[in-house]
Amino acid sequence: MNRSAVSTVGTVLVAFALTACGSSGSAGASLPSDSMTSTTSTSPTDTTSASPTTSLSPPASPTSTSATGTTRPVPPITAMHACRPEDLGVAAGRSLATSGHVGVTILFRNVSRTGCTLEGYPGVAGLDAQGHQAVQATRSTNGYLGGTYGVRNIMVAPGASASAMVEGTDVPSGMATSCATYPALLVTAPGHTDSHVVHVSVPGCSGLQVHPVVVGTSGRP
């Protein structure tokens, strides 16, 4: 074999050896199929069905339980206001007379739909036949017909009445042989400024007295 041929064969052998080594290194770098890590895709857990149901309903009204076990709503607490002029109707009630003393009851009826309060003395003036104020009633906690009074804040329910007693006498004093009689009274409810003419006759031999308002229609404490 000549040198050219030998050189060519050697080059081929070297190239073959290099190719074989490259193939062997590549195979050695490969991992066996049973050692490969597999990736598993996991969907996120649906927790909607496990969540508790939240009620958006408004809270129930407070209730109370009676001795029999019956549950009933508790009414709301509201503040009581003083009676306003439009809350009251003013009129004469019954009259009393004994031992020369005459008493007339003035009624303050609550004509509104809510309760209200009254406290103290009404304003009372005796009117003459021409409708002029002739005498002012004196405030008093003691009366011959009514007993002993106290000034109290009283509640007047819708449709109910408070009352006040006005007293006069029909016995002339001293040398007098007759007394003035007032055919009507000008009445102002406690704490108010508007007045009502009440057509009721009251004698005034010793002037007039008015007592504080009380619960009910009797005018008495």
Side-chain angles (χ1 to χ4, degrees):
M1 185 177 293
N2 59 33
R3 289 182 179 182
S4 177
V6 172
S7 176
T8 300
V9 172
T11 299
V12 171
L13 290 174
V14 171
F16 178 79
L18 291 173
T19 301
C21 290
S23 300
S24 175
S26 177
S30 300
L31 295 175
S33 60
D34 60 354
S35 64
M36 294 179 65
T37 304
S38 61
T39 303
T40 303
S41 175
T42 304
S43 300
T45 303
D46 184 1
T47 60
T48 303
S49 60
S51 301
T53 302
T54 303
S55 174
L56 299 180
S57 300
S61 300
T63 59
S64 65
T65 303
S66 65
T68 59
T70 303
T71 301
R72 58 184 181 273
V74 176
I77 298 174
T78 56
M80 190 71 65
H81 65 273
C83 294
R84 299 162 296 194
E86 62 268 25
D87 295 333
L88 300 177
V90 182
R94 66 174 183 170
S95 297
L96 301 174
T98 183
S99 302
H101 292 263
V102 177
V104 174
T105 305
I106 305 299
L107 304 180
F108 302 95
R109 184 173 180 269
N110 185 353
V111 296
S112 73
R113 295 184 178 181
T114 60
C116 61
T117 61
L118 282 176
E119 181 178 8
Y121 297 86
V124 176
L127 302 180
D128 60 21
Q130 289 72 43
H132 301 141
Q133 296 187 39
V135 63
Q136 294 288 328
T138 303
R139 296 178 175 184
S140 175
T141 56
N142 293 288
Y144 185 86
L145 298 174
T148 302
Y149 293 81
V151 177
R152 299 181 178 86
N153 188 286
I154 62 174
M155 193 275 281
V156 189
S161 295
S163 58
M165 178 78 73
V166 178
E167 290 191 47
T169 61
D170 60 2
V171 178
S173 60
M175 301 299 294
T177 57
S178 64
C179 300
T181 298
Y182 308 107
L185 300 175
L186 186 67
V187 178
T188 306
H192 295 184
T193 57
D194 59 319
S195 301
H196 303 262
V197 175
V198 178
H199 295 280
V200 59
S201 179
V202 185
C205 292
S206 303
L208 300 178
Q209 284 187 344
V210 60
H211 307 304
V213 291
V214 295
V215 176
T217 60
S218 70
R220 296 183 174 187

